[in-house]
Amino acid sequence: MEDTYDVVVVGAGPGGEVVADRTVRAGLTAVVVEAEAVGGECSYRACVPSKALLRPGAAREAARSVDGARQAVTGALDPARTLARRDRFTARGDDTGQADWLTGSGIPLVRGHGRLAGARRVDVTGADGTVRTLRARRAVVLSPGTEPALPQIEGIDRVGVWTNRQATTADAVPERLVVIGGGVVACELATAWRSLGSAVTLLVRGRTLLADWEPCAGEEVARGLTDLGVTLRFGVSADRVARDEATRAVRVETDDGSTLVCDEVLAAVGRRPRTHDLGLDTVGRTAGDWLPVDDTCRVAGLDGDWLYGVGDVNHRAPLTHMAKYQARACAAAIVERAAGRPADPGDWGAWSARADRVAVPQAVFTRPEVASVGLTERAARAAGGAIRAVEYRIDDVAGAALHADAYRGRAKLVVDETRGVVVGCTLTGPMATELIHAATVAIVGEVPLERLRHAVPAFPTVSEVWLRLLEAYGL
């Protein structure tokens, strides 16, 4: 069976959905191919369920941080209700609602495994083994996402190790949990399961958490995890894991000679692209590789304007919101090229996904929260130019003190003094994830500091930290 559309999208995650929707609304035809659930990893096994697990603990702590409310909050979290609330957000993996949205938007959904079979052609193998061929008049968009990468540890393939998928969908709270990793997923899920009652140990191969962030972010998250009761072990790696068939307990042997016994092991050490069986070899690319793309998400090194890679698979900014951003740029470029108007990816215009190189906002829902956008001081200095960084304790802002007793937070601004603009910002503390968008606007808009000083934050809000940062800079 063979069908032809203007655009064939492989992968129904956030990026694929947006590309299909925007091209169809522009008058083109599009079809979406998906082997698993419409909505992708984020909807069912990553961002949404993890935040649902984290929110009850954060709400309880917020209430207990204010005298008068603290006395009314005396109980522990209810794990069963927390897990049930998570399931309401994820529908326990049932993608009926999102699939109905696709078809209701005039976008056919083809269920099965899609792989390239040459230029502008995708073969889809259904669950029953039948193959359907889809041809694209204009473009094929690959948006398959990523999958967890497992560390090289003896026995890890035999113990039933958790990845983000099991850790966000588990139906019971493990009594003891060992987490391997020190990045965002490791820190958030350690926070979530500790809040629900697990005895959590975090094994971090390096000497800090969130190693690619400003040092203050990792320091504050480490303090918060410790205060929560998580055991942090830096400079330690797991060498071997084995599950006892009788007790189902897992033994974790580490490179410092110690042994941990737990009920589950969560491996959170990174992701790899889901391109090993995507047919890249049929168009001269290497199976298993990330897809290098330009600012319209067009795959580099191929003749023509027909193959695109959107979202995590291009490794530019592996975050759901950036996948959607890239998808908007990609769809606009496809539509314009279809109309014979070549897209120029070199500007901030409709075709450019430039922001995923200069202003990627990130939010981590640990306790405390941490958020960042743009460059760290280290990255900015490595890029050259006159760089100056200023820091301020958010605790000293009146709005922060009113927001929570014993509020603790830090703010750091990275400034390009040659241009007089902000190029990076990191915030820690309650509400940090809600505060970061102001910095995103300042960086994307390249707002001169001399003008930014006139953006007066309301009193008494936590956002007054912006005034204090600029004062610390000397304005």
Side-chain angles (χ1 to χ4, degrees), residues 115-122 140 142 275 278-287 291 299-303 306-308:
R115 68 189 315 274
L116 291 170
R120 295 185 171 85
R121 173 174 161 171
V122 175
V140 174
L142 303 178
T275 59
L278 202 57
L280 294 181
D281 55 306
T282 69
V283 295
R285 308 296 305 187
T286 302
L291 295 180
V299 176
L302 293 180
D303 293 333
W306 67 273
L307 186 61
Y308 296 78

mmCIF file of all heavy atoms in Angstrom, residues 115-122 140 142 275 278-287 291 299-303 306-308:
data_model
loop_
_atom_site.group_PDB
_atom_site.id
_atom_site.type_symbol
_atom_site.label_atom_id
_atom_site.label_comp_id
_atom_site.label_asym_id
_atom_site.label_seq_id
_atom_site.Cartn_x
_atom_site.Cartn_y
_atom_site.Cartn_z
ATOM 1 N N ARG A 115 10.539 3.897 8.981
ATOM 2 C CA ARG A 115 11.960 4.039 8.669
ATOM 3 C C ARG A 115 12.100 4.507 7.237
ATOM 4 O O ARG A 115 11.297 4.163 6.365
ATOM 5 C CB ARG A 115 12.724 2.736 8.924
ATOM 6 C CG ARG A 115 12.407 1.592 7.998
ATOM 7 C CD ARG A 115 13.047 0.283 8.443
ATOM 8 N NE ARG A 115 14.439 0.394 8.849
ATOM 9 C CZ ARG A 115 15.473 0.336 8.010
ATOM 10 N NH1 ARG A 115 15.265 0.201 6.706
ATOM 11 N NH2 ARG A 115 16.709 0.401 8.466
ATOM 12 N N LEU A 116 13.126 5.325 7.019
ATOM 13 C CA LEU A 116 13.403 5.804 5.673
ATOM 14 C C LEU A 116 13.694 4.637 4.743
ATOM 15 O O LEU A 116 14.334 3.658 5.137
ATOM 16 C CB LEU A 116 14.600 6.756 5.694
ATOM 17 C CG LEU A 116 14.403 8.110 6.373
ATOM 18 C CD1 LEU A 116 15.746 8.816 6.514
ATOM 19 C CD2 LEU A 116 13.428 8.975 5.583
ATOM 20 N N ALA A 117 13.242 4.773 3.495
ATOM 21 C CA ALA A 117 13.521 3.765 2.470
ATOM 22 C C ALA A 117 13.979 4.483 1.206
ATOM 23 O O ALA A 117 13.537 4.190 0.103
ATOM 24 C CB ALA A 117 12.286 2.923 2.190
ATOM 25 N N GLY A 118 14.859 5.478 1.418
ATOM 26 C CA GLY A 118 15.326 6.297 0.317
ATOM 27 C C GLY A 118 14.751 7.694 0.413
ATOM 28 O O GLY A 118 14.017 8.037 1.335
ATOM 29 N N ALA A 119 15.087 8.525 -0.567
ATOM 30 C CA ALA A 119 14.663 9.921 -0.557
ATOM 31 C C ALA A 119 13.146 10.041 -0.603
ATOM 32 O O ALA A 119 12.479 9.413 -1.434
ATOM 33 C CB ALA A 119 15.288 10.660 -1.730
ATOM 34 N N ARG A 120 12.591 10.826 0.321
ATOM 35 C CA ARG A 120 11.159 11.140 0.374
ATOM 36 C C ARG A 120 10.258 9.916 0.512
ATOM 37 O O ARG A 120 9.090 9.953 0.142
ATOM 38 C CB ARG A 120 10.744 11.954 -0.857
ATOM 39 C CG ARG A 120 11.375 13.333 -0.931
ATOM 40 C CD ARG A 120 10.829 14.121 -2.121
ATOM 41 N NE ARG A 120 11.267 15.506 -2.079
ATOM 42 C CZ ARG A 120 12.437 15.938 -2.562
ATOM 43 N NH1 ARG A 120 13.269 15.069 -3.123
ATOM 44 N NH2 ARG A 120 12.780 17.213 -2.474
ATOM 45 N N ARG A 121 10.795 8.849 1.060
ATOM 46 C CA ARG A 121 9.993 7.631 1.195
ATOM 47 C C ARG A 121 10.172 7.057 2.594
ATOM 48 O O ARG A 121 11.294 6.934 3.098
ATOM 49 C CB ARG A 121 10.414 6.607 0.147
ATOM 50 C CG ARG A 121 9.760 5.246 0.306
ATOM 51 C CD ARG A 121 10.121 4.333 -0.840
ATOM 52 N NE ARG A 121 9.888 2.929 -0.484
ATOM 53 C CZ ARG A 121 9.958 1.929 -1.341
ATOM 54 N NH1 ARG A 121 10.281 2.171 -2.603
ATOM 55 N NH2 ARG A 121 9.740 0.696 -0.941
ATOM 56 N N VAL A 122 9.043 6.659 3.218
ATOM 57 C CA VAL A 122 9.047 6.050 4.545
ATOM 58 C C VAL A 122 8.232 4.765 4.492
ATOM 59 O O VAL A 122 7.064 4.775 4.091
ATOM 60 C CB VAL A 122 8.451 6.999 5.610
ATOM 61 C CG1 VAL A 122 8.340 6.294 6.960
ATOM 62 C CG2 VAL A 122 9.292 8.264 5.741
ATOM 63 N N VAL A 140 10.241 15.034 4.585
ATOM 64 C CA VAL A 140 10.133 14.025 5.640
ATOM 65 C C VAL A 140 10.745 14.639 6.889
ATOM 66 O O VAL A 140 11.872 15.159 6.847
ATOM 67 C CB VAL A 140 10.867 12.722 5.280
ATOM 68 C CG1 VAL A 140 10.862 11.764 6.472
ATOM 69 C CG2 VAL A 140 10.236 12.067 4.061
ATOM 70 N N LEU A 142 11.908 13.858 10.701
ATOM 71 C CA LEU A 142 12.216 12.820 11.677
ATOM 72 C C LEU A 142 12.185 13.420 13.076
ATOM 73 O O LEU A 142 12.928 14.358 13.373
ATOM 74 C CB LEU A 142 13.590 12.214 11.389
ATOM 75 C CG LEU A 142 13.781 11.607 9.993
ATOM 76 C CD1 LEU A 142 15.207 11.090 9.830
ATOM 77 C CD2 LEU A 142 12.770 10.496 9.734
ATOM 78 N N THR A 275 17.800 6.422 16.543
ATOM 79 C CA THR A 275 18.049 6.421 15.099
ATOM 80 C C THR A 275 18.704 5.139 14.621
ATOM 81 O O THR A 275 19.122 5.046 13.465
ATOM 82 C CB THR A 275 18.954 7.611 14.713
ATOM 83 O OG1 THR A 275 20.202 7.514 15.427
ATOM 84 C CG2 THR A 275 18.301 8.942 15.039
ATOM 85 N N LEU A 278 16.216 3.633 11.856
ATOM 86 C CA LEU A 278 15.423 4.694 11.234
ATOM 87 C C LEU A 278 15.666 4.765 9.718
ATOM 88 O O LEU A 278 15.118 5.623 9.044
ATOM 89 C CB LEU A 278 15.762 6.032 11.894
ATOM 90 C CG LEU A 278 14.760 7.173 11.802
ATOM 91 C CD1 LEU A 278 13.408 6.769 12.378
ATOM 92 C CD2 LEU A 278 15.285 8.408 12.523
ATOM 93 N N GLY A 279 16.510 3.872 9.203
ATOM 94 C CA GLY A 279 16.785 3.859 7.767
ATOM 95 C C GLY A 279 17.728 4.942 7.304
ATOM 96 O O GLY A 279 17.764 5.282 6.114
ATOM 97 N N LEU A 280 18.508 5.497 8.220
ATOM 98 C CA LEU A 280 19.421 6.569 7.830
ATOM 99 C C LEU A 280 20.422 6.101 6.781
ATOM 100 O O LEU A 280 20.879 6.897 5.944
ATOM 101 C CB LEU A 280 20.168 7.104 9.060
ATOM 102 C CG LEU A 280 19.318 7.829 10.113
ATOM 103 C CD1 LEU A 280 20.205 8.312 11.255
ATOM 104 C CD2 LEU A 280 18.572 8.998 9.490
ATOM 105 N N ASP A 281 20.777 4.824 6.826
ATOM 106 C CA ASP A 281 21.755 4.311 5.862
ATOM 107 C C ASP A 281 21.235 4.389 4.431
ATOM 108 O O ASP A 281 22.027 4.417 3.481
ATOM 109 C CB ASP A 281 22.112 2.857 6.203
ATOM 110 C CG ASP A 281 20.877 1.960 6.291
ATOM 111 O OD1 ASP A 281 19.955 2.302 7.050
ATOM 112 O OD2 ASP A 281 20.847 0.934 5.590
ATOM 113 N N THR A 282 19.922 4.447 4.233
ATOM 114 C CA THR A 282 19.369 4.515 2.878
ATOM 115 C C THR A 282 19.546 5.894 2.247
ATOM 116 O O THR A 282 19.297 6.054 1.047
ATOM 117 C CB THR A 282 17.878 4.152 2.864
ATOM 118 O OG1 THR A 282 17.113 5.167 3.518
ATOM 119 C CG2 THR A 282 17.647 2.801 3.542
ATOM 120 N N VAL A 283 19.929 6.879 3.057
ATOM 121 C CA VAL A 283 20.154 8.232 2.521
ATOM 122 C C VAL A 283 21.570 8.714 2.820
ATOM 123 O O VAL A 283 21.852 9.913 2.821
ATOM 124 C CB VAL A 283 19.115 9.236 3.083
ATOM 125 C CG1 VAL A 283 17.724 8.879 2.597
ATOM 126 C CG2 VAL A 283 19.166 9.298 4.604
ATOM 127 N N GLY A 284 22.466 7.756 3.096
ATOM 128 C CA GLY A 284 23.864 8.104 3.263
ATOM 129 C C GLY A 284 24.269 8.588 4.627
ATOM 130 O O GLY A 284 25.368 9.119 4.796
ATOM 131 N N ARG A 285 23.409 8.398 5.642
ATOM 132 C CA ARG A 285 23.759 8.771 7.016
ATOM 133 C C ARG A 285 24.049 7.503 7.808
ATOM 134 O O ARG A 285 23.758 6.386 7.372
ATOM 135 C CB ARG A 285 22.630 9.547 7.692
ATOM 136 C CG ARG A 285 22.101 10.742 6.936
ATOM 137 C CD ARG A 285 23.100 11.842 6.736
ATOM 138 N NE ARG A 285 23.678 12.306 7.985
ATOM 139 C CZ ARG A 285 24.496 13.368 8.078
ATOM 140 N NH1 ARG A 285 24.819 14.041 6.998
ATOM 141 N NH2 ARG A 285 24.994 13.723 9.223
ATOM 142 N N THR A 286 24.614 7.661 9.006
ATOM 143 C CA THR A 286 24.997 6.519 9.827
ATOM 144 C C THR A 286 23.926 6.203 10.860
ATOM 145 O O THR A 286 23.500 7.089 11.623
ATOM 146 C CB THR A 286 26.333 6.794 10.544
ATOM 147 O OG1 THR A 286 27.336 7.077 9.559
ATOM 148 C CG2 THR A 286 26.764 5.591 11.368
ATOM 149 N N ALA A 287 23.496 4.948 10.891
ATOM 150 C CA ALA A 287 22.503 4.524 11.875
ATOM 151 C C ALA A 287 23.017 4.750 13.285
ATOM 152 O O ALA A 287 24.184 4.506 13.577
ATOM 153 C CB ALA A 287 22.168 3.049 11.664
ATOM 154 N N LEU A 291 21.340 13.721 14.509
ATOM 155 C CA LEU A 291 21.158 14.345 13.206
ATOM 156 C C LEU A 291 21.604 15.800 13.242
ATOM 157 O O LEU A 291 20.950 16.629 13.896
ATOM 158 C CB LEU A 291 19.683 14.276 12.783
ATOM 159 C CG LEU A 291 19.103 12.888 12.533
ATOM 160 C CD1 LEU A 291 17.631 13.005 12.134
ATOM 161 C CD2 LEU A 291 19.887 12.155 11.464
ATOM 162 N N VAL A 299 18.332 18.591 7.738
ATOM 163 C CA VAL A 299 19.489 17.733 7.986
ATOM 164 C C VAL A 299 20.622 18.114 7.049
ATOM 165 O O VAL A 299 20.430 18.248 5.833
ATOM 166 C CB VAL A 299 19.120 16.246 7.815
ATOM 167 C CG1 VAL A 299 20.349 15.363 7.973
ATOM 168 C CG2 VAL A 299 18.057 15.849 8.843
ATOM 169 N N ALA A 300 21.812 18.285 7.615
ATOM 170 C CA ALA A 300 22.971 18.706 6.839
ATOM 171 C C ALA A 300 23.535 17.550 6.022
ATOM 172 O O ALA A 300 23.390 16.383 6.374
ATOM 173 C CB ALA A 300 24.048 19.249 7.782
ATOM 174 N N GLY A 301 24.169 17.908 4.917
ATOM 175 C CA GLY A 301 24.908 16.917 4.136
ATOM 176 C C GLY A 301 24.092 16.121 3.151
ATOM 177 O O GLY A 301 24.587 15.130 2.599
ATOM 178 N N LEU A 302 22.848 16.530 2.901
ATOM 179 C CA LEU A 302 22.010 15.834 1.927
ATOM 180 C C LEU A 302 21.620 16.779 0.805
ATOM 181 O O LEU A 302 21.466 17.993 1.023
ATOM 182 C CB LEU A 302 20.732 15.304 2.577
ATOM 183 C CG LEU A 302 20.867 14.191 3.615
ATOM 184 C CD1 LEU A 302 19.489 13.813 4.126
ATOM 185 C CD2 LEU A 302 21.564 12.978 3.039
ATOM 186 N N ASP A 303 21.448 16.254 -0.405
ATOM 187 C CA ASP A 303 20.973 17.064 -1.519
ATOM 188 C C ASP A 303 19.490 17.359 -1.339
ATOM 189 O O ASP A 303 18.707 16.496 -0.927
ATOM 190 C CB ASP A 303 21.183 16.322 -2.843
ATOM 191 C CG ASP A 303 22.663 16.146 -3.188
ATOM 192 O OD1 ASP A 303 23.462 16.983 -2.727
ATOM 193 O OD2 ASP A 303 22.987 15.182 -3.900
ATOM 194 N N TRP A 306 14.599 18.238 1.637
ATOM 195 C CA TRP A 306 13.474 17.355 1.951
ATOM 196 C C TRP A 306 13.555 16.657 3.305
ATOM 197 O O TRP A 306 12.537 16.185 3.795
ATOM 198 C CB TRP A 306 13.325 16.290 0.862
ATOM 199 C CG TRP A 306 14.466 15.301 0.815
ATOM 200 C CD1 TRP A 306 15.635 15.436 0.134
ATOM 201 C CD2 TRP A 306 14.527 14.045 1.490
ATOM 202 N NE1 TRP A 306 16.441 14.336 0.341
ATOM 203 C CE2 TRP A 306 15.784 13.476 1.162
ATOM 204 C CE3 TRP A 306 13.659 13.348 2.326
ATOM 205 C CZ2 TRP A 306 16.185 12.230 1.662
ATOM 206 C CZ3 TRP A 306 14.061 12.113 2.826
ATOM 207 C CH2 TRP A 306 15.308 11.564 2.487
ATOM 208 N N LEU A 307 14.738 16.562 3.929
ATOM 209 C CA LEU A 307 14.845 15.811 5.184
ATOM 210 C C LEU A 307 15.154 16.742 6.353
ATOM 211 O O LEU A 307 16.118 17.526 6.296
ATOM 212 C CB LEU A 307 15.932 14.741 5.087
ATOM 213 C CG LEU A 307 16.034 13.799 6.302
ATOM 214 C CD1 LEU A 307 14.732 13.028 6.496
ATOM 215 C CD2 LEU A 307 17.214 12.844 6.158
ATOM 216 N N TYR A 308 14.346 16.624 7.416
ATOM 217 C CA TYR A 308 14.474 17.481 8.591
ATOM 218 C C TYR A 308 14.538 16.617 9.862
ATOM 219 O O TYR A 308 13.996 15.509 9.910
ATOM 220 C CB TYR A 308 13.276 18.439 8.690
ATOM 221 C CG TYR A 308 13.181 19.412 7.539
ATOM 222 C CD1 TYR A 308 12.673 19.005 6.308
ATOM 223 C CD2 TYR A 308 13.594 20.733 7.676
ATOM 224 C CE1 TYR A 308 12.580 19.895 5.235
ATOM 225 C CE2 TYR A 308 13.505 21.630 6.621
ATOM 226 C CZ TYR A 308 13.000 21.202 5.403
ATOM 227 O OH TYR A 308 12.920 22.081 4.351
#
